[in-house]
Amino acid sequence: MAEDFTATRATLLSAFRSGQGATEFLVADAVRVLGATWPTPTRVIDVATDELLAEVLQSSPVFPVWLEQMMTAARRSLLFSAPNEAFAPLRSWIAIQCHLNEHAWAEDATETRLVEILAASLQDLTPEQVMSLASYRPLARLPGADSLLDKGWTGPVEKVLREHIIAVREEQAIADALPTLTPITGAVSEAVRSQYEAHPYPRWRRAGPGAVQTQVNGRRLPKDPTVFIAGCGTGRQAILATMMLEARHTLAVDLSRTSLAYAVRKSRELGIADRITYAQADLLELGDSVGPFDIVQSAGVLHHLHDPFEGARKVCRLAKPGGFVALGLYSARAREHLKPGKALGKIYTPDTVREFRQDIIARPQNDPVRIPAVASRDFYATSGCRDLLMHVQEHELNFDDLRRMLRENDLTFLGFLQFSFQEIRDAYLARFPHDPQGLDLDAWEAFEADNPATFRRMYQFWAQKAE
């Protein structure tokens, strides 16, 4: 007997609409339900009113490959189909999805020709045609796009115009007004800044905060803390930290003004802009003009600096004596499997990421380039693919590097985030029962040697600065 997913669907829809719960886990669970409940083969009419699909498409870049290809086919079908009011919601969901994934999906020559015709006659398009066009091109970049806002359209197309044009214009105005704490110096900082100006990473719509965090491995965090986010990108980390740490105030900095503008807009949207200050800064240039802070966080940033150890010194210096530090750094062992894909990525350019992705998708299932790429959620958006396989600057670290970083900054290791994942925790404790708190770095080094995927999401750990 086929499993009844009615209750699961209802639970997932409620979680999406409440705004609570980690988006990546909700999307993954929802995709499994969609795959198990849709008919095979699946037609556009079969999914046009699927509310769970709507939440998925409007939450984050869709994965895995089968769902991307199914939605790519649906987009094509809608492009060439006659207007049909029943398909209007699906058109809007796909248009918003393609804005999130930065139009990373494949298109053929016939699609390109029709899209170019639509773009050339923008003022004469119907709402359905505008939504189809938005599924292939960023509307805000097309000449005359702003005049679409004067048409007084309502319904699904209104949501698309808000996402594609109104939000983009708001971000452009924010970027122009952002404060600058330091100049951007050095070739590496400038190259990294340029990458994220072109492709802010990641695009997201739901923050998905979890429970309030009051302690780390038995050590109580300060109440109403001040927080510093070093390299905040598009703001999700800063927003989650502010909400989950119940921060009194957060200062979040980044190289990219485009990324920061996205962060400001999302903070306003969530009603917490008064608790977060965003500013452009080069971490290696930060002096004594900011801080100290109760909590300092930097995830996925230090390994993109010219010197990650100097970056760690700059960041950790901003924590108060006795303050807490949370860092996220690439593991060389965990990223070994990405080397073939990164080598292939050197053949492509920032303007040919779509072709690069299709090259990977088209490879055999057991291809060493394809396997790790399609397994990563970053692969499913243009900015994410660049960050994963085509980054302009990247260091990969090991346990000796972590020990050095802790030693140089007078930090006490408080544990890896991965220890909170039940499967990893159980496997670790089965092998190292002497370490119930997961604080033995030598044991973790041995564990990673046998389980290279453990830190695929980076070495993510908490530490405390000496008094």
Side-chain angles (χ1 to χ4, degrees):
M1 180 182 295
E3 184 177 352
D4 185 357
F5 287 92
T6 303
T8 304
R9 274 180 167 270
T11 299
L12 286 169
L13 282 171
S14 177
F16 274 114
R17 291 165 181 173
S18 72
Q20 300 297 308
T23 301
E24 60 186 73
F25 296 124
L26 288 178
V27 170
D29 288 344
V31 169
R32 281 192 287 271
V33 170
L34 295 178
T37 57
W38 282 349
T40 303
T42 306
R43 303 167 300 165
V44 172
I45 191 66
D46 296 323
V47 301
T49 59
D50 192 315
E51 293 179 286
L52 192 56
L53 175 64
E55 297 296 339
V56 168
L57 290 176
Q58 296 177 99
S59 292
S60 69
V62 297
F63 58 88
V65 169
W66 73 262
L67 183 56
E68 175 180 322
Q69 291 181 329
M70 185 175 290
M71 290 299 100
T72 302
R75 180 183 67 166
R76 189 183 195 283
S77 177
L78 291 171
L79 176 67
F80 289 101
S81 67
N84 184 331
E85 189 173 337
F87 294 152
L90 181 59
R91 288 182 191 270
S92 73
W93 307 339
I94 293 177
I96 290 171
Q97 164 62 207
C98 290
H99 187 65
L100 280 170
N101 69 44
E102 299 143 308
H103 299 87
W105 295 351
E107 64 182 69
D108 62 30
T110 58
E111 289 171 281
T112 300
R113 282 195 294 272
L114 181 51
V115 167
E116 289 173 352
I117 291 170
L118 293 177
S121 54
L122 190 62
Q123 301 308 312
D124 301 323
L125 302 185
T126 65
E128 289 81 6
Q129 289 172 318
V130 167
M131 289 189 286
S132 276
L133 177 58
S135 298
Y136 286 87
R137 300 290 182 268
L139 290 182
R141 297 183 188 175
L142 300 179
D146 288 40
S147 63
L148 295 174
L149 303 177
D150 300 328
K151 291 183 177 290
W153 287 335
T154 59
V157 71
E158 184 180 14
K159 291 178 62 177
V160 173
L161 296 179
R162 181 170 298 279
E163 194 79 10
H164 271 255
I165 301 176
I166 296 175
V168 172
R169 298 295 182 242
E170 182 182 350
E171 290 168 22
Q172 290 168 341
I174 292 168
D176 292 340
L178 283 167
T180 299
L181 296 183
T182 76
I184 310 302
T185 61
V188 170
S189 291
E190 181 55 38
V192 173
R193 185 201 66 79
S194 295
Q195 174 172 332
Y196 291 120
E197 293 287 15
H199 291 116
Y201 168 82
R203 289 190 181 274
W204 57 278
R205 296 190 84 225
R206 299 179 70 259
V212 171
Q213 184 173 4
T214 59
Q215 58 85 31
V216 176
N217 217 346
R219 302 196 185 197
R220 182 160 292 279
L221 293 170
K223 187 176 177 60
D224 303 321
T226 55
V227 176
F228 178 71
I229 306 295
C232 66
T234 52
R236 189 166 181 266
Q237 181 193 1
I239 289 168
L240 290 177
T242 302
M243 299 171 78
M244 295 169 64
L245 298 171
E246 296 188 318
R248 178 170 76 254
H249 185 261
T250 298
L251 173 61
V253 304
D254 199 83
L255 292 168
S256 164
R257 299 179 78 83
T258 306
S259 299
L260 288 163
Y262 194 101
V264 172
R265 180 177 69 82
K266 296 299 290 184
S267 298
R268 291 175 179 175
E269 180 183 296
L270 292 166
I272 62 169
D274 59 331
R275 294 165 59 192
I276 309 177
T277 297
Y278 293 97
Q280 185 182 38
D282 187 332
L283 296 181
L284 296 178
E285 296 298 317
L286 282 174
D288 298 324
S289 59
V290 297
F293 299 87
D294 296 309
I295 299 172
V296 171
Q297 295 188 350
S298 183
V301 175
L302 299 181
H303 47 239
H304 293 314
L305 302 181
H306 172 67
D307 183 347
F309 297 99
E310 176 62 17
R313 288 190 287 272
K314 293 284 189 179
V315 167
C316 294
R317 183 189 56 78
L318 297 178
K320 293 178 179 178
F324 291 80
V325 176
L327 301 179
L329 302 152
Y330 282 157
S331 160
R333 189 182 296 275
R335 293 177 68 81
E336 180 71 24
H337 67 312
L338 292 175
K339 284 185 177 179
K342 289 163 69 175
L344 178 65
K346 295 182 184 301
I347 300 172
Y348 292 86
T349 70
D351 295 327
T352 57
V353 175
R354 184 186 296 165
E355 290 78 7
F356 177 41
R357 294 187 69 253
Q358 293 309 309
D359 182 341
I360 291 174
I361 289 172
R363 288 166 178 258
Q365 296 282 340
N366 62 350
D367 187 279
V369 170
R370 189 184 195 277
I371 293 171
V374 301
S376 171
R377 293 174 186 177
D378 280 344
F379 178 73
Y380 295 90
T382 299
S383 61
C385 187
R386 285 195 69 186
D387 194 82
L388 180 72
L389 298 172
M390 302 173 69
H391 206 286
V392 296
Q393 170 72 9
E394 183 175 299
H395 296 274
E396 295 171 349
L397 292 86
N398 56 37
F399 272 86
D400 283 341
D401 296 321
L402 298 189
R403 294 185 184 95
R404 173 185 168 185
M405 206 167 278
L406 292 164
R407 182 177 64 252
E408 289 182 349
N409 296 288
D410 211 3
L411 299 175
T412 298
F413 178 69
L414 298 184
F416 288 112
L417 173 65
Q418 284 79 359
F419 197 55
S420 65
F421 301 155
Q422 192 66 47
E423 185 177 350
I424 293 177
R425 182 188 186 95
D426 289 347
Y428 178 85
L429 291 178
R431 182 171 177 188
F432 301 107
H434 75 278
D435 186 26
Q437 292 184 295
L439 299 177
D440 186 339
L441 287 177
D442 291 339
W444 276 111
E445 186 173 19
F447 186 81
E448 186 190 28
D450 293 337
N451 303 275
T454 301
F455 299 103
R456 193 159 288 178
R457 295 189 180 190
M458 301 183 289
Y459 296 121
Q460 292 176 273
F461 62 92
W462 280 91
Q464 187 170 20
K465 194 172 180 179
E467 293 281 358

